[in-house]
């Protein structure tokens, strides 16, 4: 009897975990959407403005990814995320408040910790362990001196290209 109760409780908890992951999201704004903003979307998100943890493809005007997210975010205006692995592509801005591993392509790109490539007019990385920036203004805040550690890093601010390895 104890084993049966334990098995039934395990199934109940497993079913609850599956209910928190969905394959499709349609969002007008984060609070007016098919699924709540805490539901992990493992598949496709179509958004006017969406905000979910996601693994997959997000297409929208503004795409927000919370927690650890990955995939491709294609935003007409902007993409924002906490930890993102993959590609953020937008016309105006990409923002990663924690770590970006992958590619940011927009007019303005920001990553708290860059591990990848930023391409845009203005690129900013507060810290970078491995990163390349291509654009008009490229800022790597944790590079403190100009050409001191070349070829591993260039400078705090550079036009056209900047890197840190």
């Amino acid at each position: 009897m104890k084993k049966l109760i334990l098995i039934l409780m395990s199934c109940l908890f497993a079913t609850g975990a599956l209910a928190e992951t969905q394959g499709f999201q349609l969002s007008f704004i984060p609070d007016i959407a098919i699924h709540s903003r805490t539901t992990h979307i493992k598949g496709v998100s179509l958004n006017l403005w969406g905000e979910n943890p996601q693994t997959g493809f997000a297409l929208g005007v503004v795409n927000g990814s919370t927690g650890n997210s990955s995939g491709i975010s294609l935003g007409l205006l902007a993409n924002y995320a906490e930890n993102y692995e993959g590609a953020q592509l937008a016309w105006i801005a990409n923002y990663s408040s924690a770590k970006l591993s992958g590619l940011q392509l927009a007019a303005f790109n920001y990553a708290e910790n860059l591990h990848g490539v930023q391409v845009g007019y203005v690129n900013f990385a507060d810290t970078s362990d491995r990163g390349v920036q291509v654009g008009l203004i490229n800022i790597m805040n944790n590079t403190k001196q100009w050409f001191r550690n070349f070829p591993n890093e260039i400078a705090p601010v550079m036009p056209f290209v900047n890197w840190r390895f």
Side-chain angles (χ1 to χ4, degrees), residues 1-164:
M1 186 66 170
K2 289 180 185 179
K3 288 183 182 179
L4 179 62
I5 292 172
L6 183 61
I7 290 170
L8 289 174
M9 288 179 61
S10 298
C11 290
L12 179 65
F13 288 123
T15 304
L18 289 175
E20 294 178 10
T21 300
Q22 297 294 327
F24 178 75
Q25 171 71 306
L26 184 62
S27 176
F28 183 66
I29 61 172
D31 292 328
I32 300 175
I34 294 175
H35 305 291
S36 73
R37 65 173 58 192
T38 59
T39 303
H40 187 102
I41 306 302
K42 227 176 186 177
V44 176
S45 297
L46 300 176
N47 312 304
L48 187 58
W49 170 26
E51 184 178 272
N52 288 87
Q54 62 122 349
T55 305
F57 178 71
L59 174 66
V61 177
V62 176
N63 298 312
S65 302
T66 57
N68 294 323
S69 295
S70 63
I72 298 173
S73 283
L74 182 58
L76 182 63
L77 296 179
N79 297 302
Y80 64 92
E82 291 175 39
N83 291 306
Y84 200 83
E85 185 174 333
Q88 289 183 317
L89 313 169
W91 285 105
I92 305 298
N94 291 311
Y95 177 85
S96 177
S97 65
K99 184 171 185 175
L100 174 88
S101 297
L103 169 69
Q104 285 184 323
L105 175 64
F108 175 78
N109 297 299
Y110 173 88
E112 180 69 27
N113 184 332
L114 174 65
H115 189 90
V117 178
Q118 292 178 318
V119 179
Y121 293 115
V122 177
N123 301 303
F124 183 92
D126 196 41
T127 62
S128 177
D129 44 351
R130 292 185 163 277
V132 175
Q133 298 172 319
V134 178
L136 294 178
I137 300 171
N138 302 293
I139 302 166
M140 288 196 175
N141 210 27
N142 67 325
T143 302
K144 298 298 180 193
Q145 297 188 3
W146 296 75
F147 304 103
R148 177 66 77 177
N149 196 15
F150 188 79
N152 294 330
E153 61 186 40
I154 299 179
V157 179
M158 282 296 291
F160 308 120
V161 68
N162 200 0
W163 67 75
R164 182 181 172 101

